[in-house]
Amino acid sequence: MKPYILIDKKNELEGDFFIPAQICDEKILNFIIEKGKGLLCVSAHEDDLLKRGFFKLPSNGSKTNFFITVDYGKGTGISISERCNTIQKISEGLSIKDFVYPGHVNVLGAKEKRWGHTEASVFFSEHLGYKPYGVIIEILNSNGDSHDFEYILELSKKNKLEIIDIEDLYKEYVKKRFSIDTSVKLPTAIDEDFDIYTFKNPYDSREHIAIVKRPFKESIPYLRIHSECATGDIFHSLRCDCGEQLENSLKIISKKGGVLIYLRQEGRGIGLNNKVKAYKLQDEGYDTVEANLKLGFKDDERDYFAAYLILKALKINEVKILTNNPKKYEDLKRYGIKIKEIVNIYGKVNKYNKKYLFTKAKKMKHNLKLEGVE
Ligand SMILES: Nc1nc2c(ncn2[C@@H]2O[C@H](COP(=O)(O)OP(=O)(O)OP(=O)(O)O)[C@@H](O)[C@H]2O)c(=O)[nH]1
Ligand SMILES: [Mg+2]
Ligand SMILES: [Mg+2]
Ligand SMILES: [Zn+2]
């Protein structure tokens, strides 16, 4: 097996070589130490290490969950063959008493609710069918810098090594853990036969919900993915079209059967405070995209992976989606949901939301039919 390169685009912007500890051999180890040059570590579940008597190194704010370093056997511990042997013995589940410490192999504990190279490497080892122990080492470029993506890309091309984003591994990790928490009847003014579902959601630990109306009269359910908009959904704000979109979607779902997924993504994912700041900037002349950028965000911070997980949990693979926003169905398609039909869903255009809608049509490719937008 060849080592993988695990990149972490979100936090440390680093690339690590990775191999499952169980199949670590001297040739691969020599390669990743020579080419990686970072700190050679074995990663394991934190509670597994604690159970075996491994103990944490004292930490004064370190982000990495270091345990005591170890050697197996009585040699110097540093040769490739000795470190390979130590790695193997750690992956065989020996207790700390079988090791000499401190030693020459670093040990990292993977923690719940954290996702870095440590956690990704433990999960990936299991995902590949090996025991949950990974070997990782940061990749430093020729001047010793660890944040050089160009260099990492070069290295992967030259050695034909696969690069994997740990965010994608996280999505695999979550898929197995995302499930329906509970559901209950939710009679509403629009329809007395709705059910509301809540979910156990390790993805972003936000409380997304689904409102479901069965039966799906046209066999394929209508789907509305609705991002939370307190101003529009609750206070009927005229600055956007969300409140009416919510109401109109619920009416269609009530009549034809389907699902409304309510994602806690207020402000296109920037939150309510920041959205109100964005409104203030729009009062000063910025448009809805410029305002986001001015606040240091992307024009749209949302992704719809949670909606995909909810559909999977509800055993729905094909939908007729109510939206004007191509990103919603493009994301769902990418995750493997079949889009049978795309149905526009509008709110009324008024003097307060016209520019907002116009900008979304012009700059965010929303298919909104507004006069003056070709
Ligand atoms: N940052 C920002 N967010 C806004 C603004 N106006 C509305 N929003 C947010 O935009 C999102 C709109 O959600 P949706 O209606 O589900 O999605 P959409 O992108 O409009 O696409 P559709 O499915 O066609 O409605 C909500 O999170 C609102 O809070 C704004 O001016 N700035
Ligand atoms: Mg790292
Ligand atoms: Mg909308
Ligand atoms: Zn809104």
Side-chain angles (χ1 to χ4, degrees), residues 219-237:
S219 77
I220 296 170
Y222 280 82
L223 166 69
R224 168 71 183 160
I225 299 177
H226 193 85
S227 304
E228 179 178 19
C229 172
T231 47
D233 302 344
I234 305 171
F235 305 109
H236 306 291
S237 154

Side-chain angles (χ1 to χ4, degrees), residues 346-371:
Y346 299 116
K348 276 196 240 29
V349 182
N350 64 55
K351 61 180 182 205
Y352 299 102
N353 66 16
K354 189 162 173 15
K355 187 180 172 206
Y356 159 70
L357 295 171
F358 198 88
T359 307
K360 290 210 294 182
K362 289 272 304 169
K363 290 192 172 178
M364 301 173 85
K365 308 255 170 305
H366 284 212
N367 26 39
L368 286 156
K369 292 187 189 37
L370 297 163
E371 69 277 2

Side-chain angles (χ1 to χ4, degrees), residues 224-229 240 242 245 265-268 270 275 278-279 282 288 292 302 322-325 328 356 360 366:
R224 168 71 183 160
I225 299 177
H226 193 85
S227 304
E228 179 178 19
C229 172
C240 62
C242 306
Q245 285 186 310
Q265 301 173 318
E266 174 62 72
R268 294 202 299 268
I270 70 172
K275 180 174 83 172
Y279 279 166
Q282 291 170 57
T288 184
N292 262 35
R302 293 172 291 179
L322 301 165
T323 185
N324 319 311
N325 176 353
K328 290 187 180 176
Y356 159 70
K360 290 210 294 182
H366 284 212

